[in-house]
Amino acid sequence: MISLVSSVLRPKGLRTEKLEGAEVFRGTTLVKRGFAHMLKHGVIMDVTNVEQAQIAEDAGAVAVMVLDKLPYDVRRAGGVARTASLEAIQAILDHVTIPVMAKCRIGHTYEARVLEEAGVDMIDESEVLTPADEKRHIWKWDFTTPFVNGARNLGEALRRIEEGASMIRTKGEPGTGNVAEAVKHIRIVNNEIRRVRAVYEDGDHEELIRIARELGASYEIVAETGRLGRLPVVNFAAGGIATPAECGLNDDSRMRRGLRRLRNLQV
Amino acid sequence: MKRLKIGVFGLQGDIEEHVAITRLALARMGLEGDVIWAKTAEDIKSLDGLIIPGGESTVIGRLAEYNRALKTVKERIYEGMPVLGTCAGLIMLARKVYDRVVGEVRQPILGVMDVVVERNAFGRQRESFEVNLRIPVLGEEPFKGVFIRAPAIRGMGPKVEALCRLNEIVVAAKQHNMIGVSFHPELTNDTRLHQYFIKIVRDVT
């Protein structure tokens, strides 16, 4: 059984419908977080067009992430980076069988709505694009489509999950080909989880709630993280991961301790 | 009694969830057994039963072809080793596979079970759903079916028996030592399907 911690009661993204005469529930926490579990031990590749998406699929990618420009080019071009064109997304949806994800700007609820309508399988509320709201993230429980968010530490990860993220990717330095930042953030999250786990196992509730306040997350999700000894949702390593060896590094047993690991390869 | 050894095909997908629920099912049945990640042909050879997890069937198939485990799995299944495939696992077992949108697909599969499977038959992730299923072989109590970009069985040979239907669509089937289901019992606490599978493993071992 996967963890359903922090699910909100009757979220707007939950849809009850009839299918083949039966009552079915779409957009439940189980269905959204469960989707991320199916990607585990896989590689998600950044792509900008159908040709790249098909290469990724043939090469064994577990999903593709559609961007207008690859992170390297986003950094170089400067200016405002937005979500990918709907034509490109639609073409990719029509030509690959693996899941298709796309990025929207942080806090840009309506870019996310457009992506949901387009039918992408997961939305990445991503810092690689220019934030649309510099203070707030999208309330992701309003969506039937699951979200993934970036995080550099445990507090960020748990806050994003409480906003409705179904998957976390520990951030790296996108578009650099330098894996050091990805490694650093996994280490940080792992070390923080180790501490929470030790406190949880000692049954020290006073310290757990103090940590929760420090992290800006609820007592409930901090305690669940301590009980599980890992994040309550699947985690991917992302950013600057360019070769199979770097995927291996991020899937290594010492790295994965405390994390539901996955890796994110950028082409 | 012999200690059972059950492997979860450990290349890609929700492997840990299957390992966990299989251990729980063994414990609930009061049986001794080992549940391992089976990655290589050598691992597969040592098993009494195999579970092919959910994940991306294209990835599992390609990796299994690359590390040459695919052939061994096929041989073992023909020899009678029981196998349970969930979601991507059902796709791996099928004789023929096509995608709802893309149509004909070229991907390495086992092709051992006489079923035709449509990938993404219920739509994309936004259309994924939970539903209470009736599975007569598992008893009266409804079984929570978690369908994630799920496949459906669109055609069955004469030796295949439908275990569960969603109205007219077959979502679980059995052929001798092979069980294929469209949904993900491993994401729930309900061990009945795994217990049903373990009983088959025990009976042939």
Side-chain angles (χ1 to χ4, degrees), chain A residues 242-259:
Chain A
T243 67
E246 282 158 6
C247 290
L249 177 65
N250 284 285
D251 200 34
D252 182 84
S253 60
R254 277 158 300 172
M255 294 289 258
R256 51 162 100 139
R257 187 173 299 141
L259 286 172

Side-chain angles (χ1 to χ4, degrees), chain A residues 3 11 35-36 39 43 47 57 65 82 95 126 144 183-184 190 198 213 217 222 228:
Chain A
S3 177
F35 167 70
L39 306 173
V43 173
V47 300
E57 182 175 49
M65 175 71 71
R82 302 186 175 82
H95 286 91
S126 176
T144 309
V183 170
K184 181 172 103 184
N190 274 346
R213 284 171 184 148
V222 173
L228 295 167

Side-chain angles (χ1 to χ4, degrees), chain B residues 26 63 71 76 81 123 127 147 164 173 184 194:
Chain B
L26 282 167
L63 289 173
K71 192 165 153 273
R76 292 292 325 270
M81 176 183 69
E127 280 80 51
F147 290 75
C164 177
H184 292 283
H194 284 75

Side-chain angles (χ1 to χ4, degrees), chain A residues 1 20 25-26 28 30-31 35 37-41 60-62 93 97 99 116 119 121 260-261, chain B residues 12-14 16-17 55-56 59 62 119-120 124-130 148-149 167 184 187 189:
Chain A
M1 183 66 173
E20 298 292 323
F25 304 94
R26 304 194 202 271
T28 63
L30 186 54
V31 163
F35 167 70
H37 282 254
M38 300 310 141
L39 306 173
K40 291 197 309 177
H41 312 289
V62 82
L93 286 169
T97 64
E116 177 163 71
D121 296 290
R260 289 288 182 129
R261 64 282 187 195
Chain B
Q12 190 273 321
D14 68 337
E16 293 90 342
E17 290 68 26
E56 275 308 310
V59 180
R62 285 198 171 91
R119 288 184 60 192
N120 303 317
R124 310 195 68 94
Q125 173 57 21
R126 198 178 46 172
E127 280 80 51
S128 294
F129 58 93
E130 289 175 34
I148 295 176
R149 288 171 46 93
N167 200 6
H184 292 283
L187 294 180
N189 274 335

Side-chain angles (χ1 to χ4, degrees), chain A residues 21-87:
Chain A
E23 185 173 61
V24 302
F25 304 94
R26 304 194 202 271
T28 63
T29 305
L30 186 54
V31 163
K32 287 157 91 174
R33 291 188 190 166
F35 167 70
H37 282 254
M38 300 310 141
L39 306 173
K40 291 197 309 177
H41 312 289
V43 173
I44 299 171
M45 295 175 98
D46 287 346
V47 300
T48 61
N49 57 40
V50 173
E51 192 196 355
Q52 290 175 3
Q54 286 176 328
I55 291 171
E57 182 175 49
D58 289 341
V62 82
V64 290
M65 175 71 71
V66 188
L67 295 94
D68 184 36
K69 295 188 200 74
L70 294 178
Y72 173 77
D73 298 318
V74 171
R75 285 171 77 96
R76 237 181 20 171
V80 175
R82 302 186 175 82
T83 192
S85 86
L86 286 178
E87 285 84 2

